[in-house]
Amino acid sequence: LRAARRNARVDVKLALLWCNAATANVARHAKEGKALDVFTVAQHAIADRSAAKHGASLGDLMEAAGAAIAREIATRWAPRETLVMCGPGDNGGDGYVAARLLKACGWPVRIAALALAEDASTAARAARAGWDGDVEALTASSLGATELVVDALFGAGLSRPVAGPAAEMLEACASRDVILVAADLPSGLAGDMGAPLGVCAPADLTVTFLRLKPAHLLAPGRSLCGEIICADIGHPRKAVAAARAEALRLVVNTPSVWGASMPRLEAQAHKHSRGQLGVVTGGPSATGAARLAARAGLRAGAGLVTLFAPPNALLVVASSSTAVMTRAFKDAEALAELGARCDAVVIGPGAGIGEATRANVAALAGEKSTRLILDADALTSFEDAPEELFALLGAADVMTPHLGEFRRLFPDIAAHDGDKISKTRAAAARAGCVVLLKGPDTVIAAPDGTCAVNVHASAHLATAGSGDVLAGVIAGLAAQGAPSWRAACAGAWLHGEAGLALGPGLIAEDLCEALPRALSAFYRKYSA
């Protein structure tokens, strides 16, 4: 690209082909299990500033970013009437470069700018100077007969709603059947948040740079981005390292995060060496959730799984269990004795809400060698005394709330105007255990702030009992020795893989039976 700028005889198309080698389809990389770091807006700013100290100027980065945008457009669509909307900042500078390169490849391109040249950033002014055509003022009528629009108005650092002509144009784009390509992020979406600040036109393609930002993963931002391409635009390694050192670790949940911790069976393995898992159930009319968790734990590889049931529910669970064993307990003290023999215990699904469950959790927590996976009723039972629950838990325990349960335990954190990642981290720090906050953008945080976002899942998982299966999978992996945060990450991914394989019509029972295929997919594709 630098050669292309110095020598007009260099074919622009060759420069764009060079750029293609440095781009990555985020969905494909996540599916292939490759490592994908996530940087905040502040980290990206650090990387940009540090890049100049190590030989890559902001102009160089902007040239590469614009080339990435142009390259991804040219590989997907034939030349057509194109409008590039440029804002006053560096995001607008990326747009000027993309417009220039598309025009050089024969595309009919117009530029509509939101600000006068003198009001643009220094780098954007330089990029604008490289454009050899007219620059019209952005107005509500700028769209015209345009078929493809490049949104280079505002970048990830946006802190207030889009207004004026920019908002009117975004609304027009959203209402019209035009192809919309976003530079970095769709304008109106703040980089560290999943929710738009105001008007935000959904993109068909988003081309971002260096690393993903939280808004590319958190709902509903992820759906507003369309297909996501992350381009390496030439930040020196030292600049990337400087940015990485400035924040807690945040990653996309892929097998590269937890694959090394997955259980590997030796030839001499037997059921007792594969871990013992206990699952607590409540009364006779509510055993289904616990039975789902138990079967999922068994399918996840635990060698021995036992359902612990009150005496009046023992016959119900025994008559519906085969490989899962059953034991009765009459009180919390008896349950503690049974739990002490287990490597992990699930409590919550179908356990019942109230004092009895609180006593059972307290009794099980007394055995520190047993890891607890808490869900559903075990969380809601402490709604009025969350600090009492937190005092019982250790760093190796895991809680898996949905948003409603999260609000009951962490009302102040949930009410805060923060993003889901920061909220989950705050909850994990307060509770002193791993917190997995479920949703279309499941976030898994350890007490030390290490965090992953899982987007490897299907909307069809939104069905009764799905969360019980997830708790069982996590517990089954934990029982086999997987570290708790990694077990939670692996459980979320495998649960999602099973859901993706099953598709429409799945029910929770199907997920248990699909786990062998999900595990096989992992060991076949990703295991070293």
Side-chain angles (χ1 to χ4, degrees):
L1 285 172
R2 292 179 188 173
R5 296 175 67 190
R6 290 193 302 266
N7 187 349
R9 291 173 297 176
V10 175
D11 192 335
V12 174
K13 292 183 179 179
L14 291 180
L16 295 183
L17 286 172
W18 174 87
C19 180
N20 185 49
T23 60
N25 182 294
V26 171
R28 184 179 70 247
H29 270 52
K31 186 175 182 181
E32 291 172 353
K34 297 182 180 179
L36 290 169
D37 289 341
V38 181
F39 280 4
T40 63
V41 173
Q43 285 177 286
H44 278 88
I46 291 169
D48 287 347
R49 291 195 298 270
S50 181
K53 301 176 184 177
H54 300 287
S57 70
L58 182 55
D60 292 331
L61 298 178
M62 188 172 287
E63 192 74 18
I69 296 166
R71 177 68 181 93
E72 296 304 323
I73 290 172
T75 57
R76 286 164 176 77
W77 297 285
R80 62 195 63 210
E81 291 291 334
T82 299
L83 174 69
V84 180
M85 303 188 298
C86 294
D90 294 342
N91 191 252
D94 299 338
Y96 287 116
V97 174
R100 190 189 80 234
L101 294 175
L102 285 172
K103 182 179 180 181
C105 290
W107 282 59
V109 181
R110 293 184 297 124
I111 291 181
L114 189 59
L116 299 173
E118 55 267 28
D119 295 328
S121 68
T122 302
R125 285 200 302 272
R128 180 168 176 159
W131 170 251
D132 61 358
D134 295 332
V135 177
E136 61 186 80
L138 183 71
T139 67
S141 60
S142 295
L143 190 57
T146 302
E147 298 175 65
L148 187 147
V149 176
V150 177
D151 172 10
L153 289 171
F154 300 105
L158 187 70
S159 59
R160 61 181 184 273
V162 179
E168 293 171 359
M169 275 295 294
L170 292 176
E171 290 171 347
C173 290
S175 64
R176 280 267 304 275
D177 186 21
V178 297
I179 298 166
L180 187 64
V181 178
D184 195 21
L185 277 171
S187 292
L189 192 60
D192 291 338
M193 303 286 291
L197 298 175
V199 61
C200 181
D204 297 281
L205 169 68
T206 295
V207 183
T208 191
F209 319 109
L210 180 60
R211 295 292 187 272
L212 295 177
K213 298 176 178 67
H216 292 121
L217 302 170
L218 298 175
R222 180 161 58 97
S223 63
L224 292 169
C225 290
E227 180 187 4
I228 302 172
I229 294 291
C230 188
D232 178 353
I233 57 174
H235 287 81
R237 291 184 179 179
K238 290 183 178 179
V240 178
R244 185 178 286 118
E246 289 298 317
L248 297 169
R249 187 186 182 208
L250 176 61
V251 295
V252 181
N253 186 32
T254 70
S256 66
V257 174
W258 41 265
S261 299
M262 284 291 286
R264 264 78 172 174
L265 292 182
E266 303 295 336
Q268 63 270 29
H270 52 82
K271 62 185 178 183
H272 295 286
S273 67
R274 296 183 66 184
Q276 297 194 42
L277 171 63
V279 180
V280 181
T281 187
S285 63
T287 64
R291 285 187 280 126
L292 281 170
R295 188 163 184 82
L298 194 64
R299 285 292 194 188
L304 289 167
V305 180
T306 305
L307 271 164
F308 302 141
N312 64 345
L314 185 63
L315 184 60
V316 174
V317 296
S319 63
S320 60
S321 302
T322 49
V324 174
M325 298 180 293
T326 57
R327 294 291 299 273
F329 69 94
K330 62 179 181 179
D331 54 28
E333 183 178 353
L335 178 61
E337 292 179 6
L338 294 173
R341 305 170 193 172
C342 298
D343 298 289
V345 174
V346 177
I347 181 167
I353 299 172
E355 186 57 42
T357 294
R358 288 169 65 161
N360 289 339
V361 170
L364 290 167
E367 181 50 60
K368 297 304 180 183
S369 63
T370 301
R371 284 188 275 177
L372 296 185
I373 289 75
L374 299 98
D375 187 33
D377 295 348
L379 303 177
T380 302
S381 290
F382 287 89
E383 178 178 7
D384 297 328
E387 296 299 332
E388 180 182 326
L389 172 62
F390 305 154
L392 296 170
L393 302 179
D397 298 321
V398 182
M399 62 171 66
T400 61
H402 56 56
L403 185 56
E405 292 156 352
F406 186 88
R407 286 171 177 154
R408 293 174 196 133
L409 290 179
F410 308 98
D412 57 327
I413 295 175
H416 191 268
D417 287 335
D419 61 275
K420 189 172 181 178
I421 293 167
S422 62
K423 290 179 180 181
T424 310
R425 278 176 163 159
R430 180 181 296 180
C433 69
V434 175
V435 175
L436 181 151
L437 180 52
K438 292 181 282 199
D441 49 358
T442 292
V443 178
I444 309 108
D448 66 359
T450 303
C451 195
V453 182
N454 186 74
V455 295
H456 184 73
S458 165
H460 300 292
L461 289 169
T463 185
S466 176
D468 305 319
V469 173
L470 174 59
V473 176
I474 295 169
L477 297 173
Q480 296 172 80
S484 296
W485 181 77
R486 289 183 171 86
C489 291
W493 192 93
L494 292 167
H495 184 253
E497 176 73 10
L500 289 167
L502 290 166
L506 73 83
I507 58 174
E509 289 92 327
D510 300 331
L511 292 170
C512 295
E513 307 317 305
L515 283 170
R517 278 179 286 166
L519 285 161
S520 294
F522 162 74
Y523 285 112
R524 182 175 63 253
K525 295 180 183 178
Y526 313 114
S527 181

